[in-house]
Structure formats: C-alpha cells, structure tokens
Amino acid sequence: MKSKLESSLTDTLKNSQLSSVISDAGELSLDSILKDGLLKDIPVISSMLNLFKLGVSLQNYFLLSKLLSFLKSLDNVNIESRKQAIKKLEADTEYSQNVGEHLILLLDRMDDLNKPKMIARAFTAYCKKEINSVQLQRLYYAIDRILLCDNSHIKTFLNNRGKEELPVDIEQNFVNSGLGYVKSGYGVGGVYPTELCGLFYEYALQKE
C-alpha cells in the first residue's frame, strides 16, 4: 500500500490540476475530507483515503494534512513544468530516486506543518530551473533538520557573515542543518553561513 501511495503522488504531480486542490480544500476541514471522501479524484488523496479504510492512525492523519499543505503550495506550477521536472530528476544520476517515494518519506518525517510548504517552494524552484538537483536535495535536508523557531534569524545570519555572534543554540541549529559551518584558525573564528543558507533564504522561506 505504501508503494501505491508513493506512485500516486508522482501521478498527482505529473497529471493533476492542483488548482482544484486549492479551491476545493481551502474551505474544507481535514475531518470532512476523511468523512465524505472529498478530493478523491486526486490520486494521492484517494490512496490516503484507502489507507484510512484500513484503520486511521494519527501518523496517517498528519501525513494527509502535510500532503494537502504540500500540494496546495504548488498551485503556481503548471502540469507540464512538474512533469518535465520529475522526468529530469528521475533521469539524473545525482538524484537517482523515485520522486514520489522520496517526497512521501520526507513529508512523513516533517515535524512541523509549515515544512511541507517549504518543501513545495524548493520543488517549485527546481521546476522553474532556478536550482539544480543537488541544491534541491540539500534544501530538502536543511528543511528536514532545521528548527523553525530560528528561521527569523536567517537574514541576520546571512548579513553578519560571522561578524556578530548569535546565541549558541541558534548557531548550532544552523550548523546541524547545513546552513552554517564553524570556521577556526589564527585570528579567525565563529560560525559562518554556507552557500546553502543563501539558497534556503531565497527558495525555502516565505519572505514578506
């Protein structure tokens, strides 16, 4: 059943008009989607509903919520762009993963309901050819690892370039997520932003 879910997500990204997810899901509660089988024409939602028939679990409940958040954040990417992006990714030896499988595993691990939106922004950037497959995977890694409570400090961290120290817990969070690195040596020290940090700010965060 899990492989069916993964393949149905790929199918959804390649063939579904996600604007329908936006309009239909915008006013609906997750409970009503489960109870009435709404959005069942979206392949990955249909697969999730089948999982619920086998027994609703809290994990599946939150996975459906994260899937909806991810799909709703892709409404500005047309089908053809998504289809071409998936084809290119799955032919890329530096990616070498099934797109649906990778995304399901990633979304299932997310510890915050804002993270699926960030994953969608990174995927959108790839669809628009603004980043390559390696940068996409690094962004996925950073989004997975970052504690979102420190996101408000990303811009300051980038602008400081090691000139001003942030609280140690914040700097450690950035290092753990691949957004920062420890620079040491004679007359030099501190935590500095990586190239990935700039990409994260540009393509993962929702900037006002």
Side-chain angles (χ1 to χ4, degrees):
M1 183 61 75
K2 198 66 177 292
S3 62
K4 171 67 174 177
L5 180 62
E6 294 153 357
S7 63
S8 66
L9 177 55
T10 302
D11 184 23
T12 298
L13 292 173
K14 291 169 68 174
N15 300 306
S16 295
Q17 289 285 1
L18 295 183
S19 58
S20 66
V21 176
I22 303 300
S23 59
D24 292 346
E27 303 299 325
L28 299 175
S29 69
L30 195 54
D31 287 333
S32 65
I33 292 171
L34 296 176
K35 179 181 177 181
D36 302 323
L38 302 171
L39 304 182
K40 60 182 179 296
D41 291 336
I42 304 294
V44 71
I45 303 303
S46 178
S47 293
M48 281 299 303
L49 293 175
N50 287 333
L51 279 178
F52 283 110
K53 290 177 183 177
L54 299 177
V56 177
S57 72
L58 190 61
Q59 181 182 11
N60 286 336
Y61 185 90
F62 283 118
L63 178 56
L64 177 56
S65 181
K66 288 181 281 190
L67 273 168
L68 284 171
S69 179
F70 170 73
L71 294 174
K72 284 161 53 176
S73 299
L74 289 175
D75 65 317
N76 62 339
V77 185
N78 62 48
I79 290 177
E80 188 58 32
S81 294
R82 284 183 262 126
K83 187 179 296 186
Q84 291 301 316
I86 291 170
K87 180 179 179 180
K88 185 179 176 183
L89 274 177
E90 295 192 338
D92 190 333
T93 56
E94 292 185 310
Y95 187 81
S96 64
Q97 300 180 76
N98 177 278
V99 171
E101 179 180 2
H102 189 196
L103 286 170
I104 289 294
L105 289 172
L106 189 61
L107 291 170
D108 202 26
R109 286 201 307 270
M110 297 287 93
D111 58 4
D112 188 291
L113 291 178
N114 285 309
K115 286 189 175 184
K117 300 175 185 177
M118 299 169 71
I119 293 294
R121 291 179 200 126
F123 184 72
T124 296
Y126 181 81
C127 289
K128 294 182 176 180
K129 302 179 181 179
E130 296 170 335
I131 59 174
N132 60 38
S133 66
V134 172
Q135 292 168 326
L136 176 65
Q137 291 175 86
R138 293 188 188 281
L139 282 172
Y140 284 170
Y141 176 85
I143 295 166
D144 188 18
R145 298 292 297 273
I146 193 78
L147 291 172
L148 297 190
C149 58
D150 295 333
N151 276 356
S152 60
H153 299 281
I154 292 286
K155 186 175 182 179
T156 299
F157 183 56
L158 279 168
N159 291 338
N160 282 340
R161 301 283 173 180
K163 296 176 183 176
E164 179 183 342
E165 290 186 359
L166 291 169
V168 65
D169 288 348
I170 296 175
E171 291 188 339
Q172 188 62 55
N173 183 18
F174 294 159
V175 171
N176 290 344
S177 306
L179 304 183
Y181 70 99
V182 179
K183 189 173 183 179
S184 60
Y186 182 74
V188 178
V191 177
Y192 290 73
T194 60
E195 179 183 354
L196 177 62
C197 189
L199 294 174
F200 184 89
Y201 180 75
E202 183 70 21
Y203 298 116
L205 291 185
Q206 181 67 54
K207 301 181 289 298
E208 299 297 332

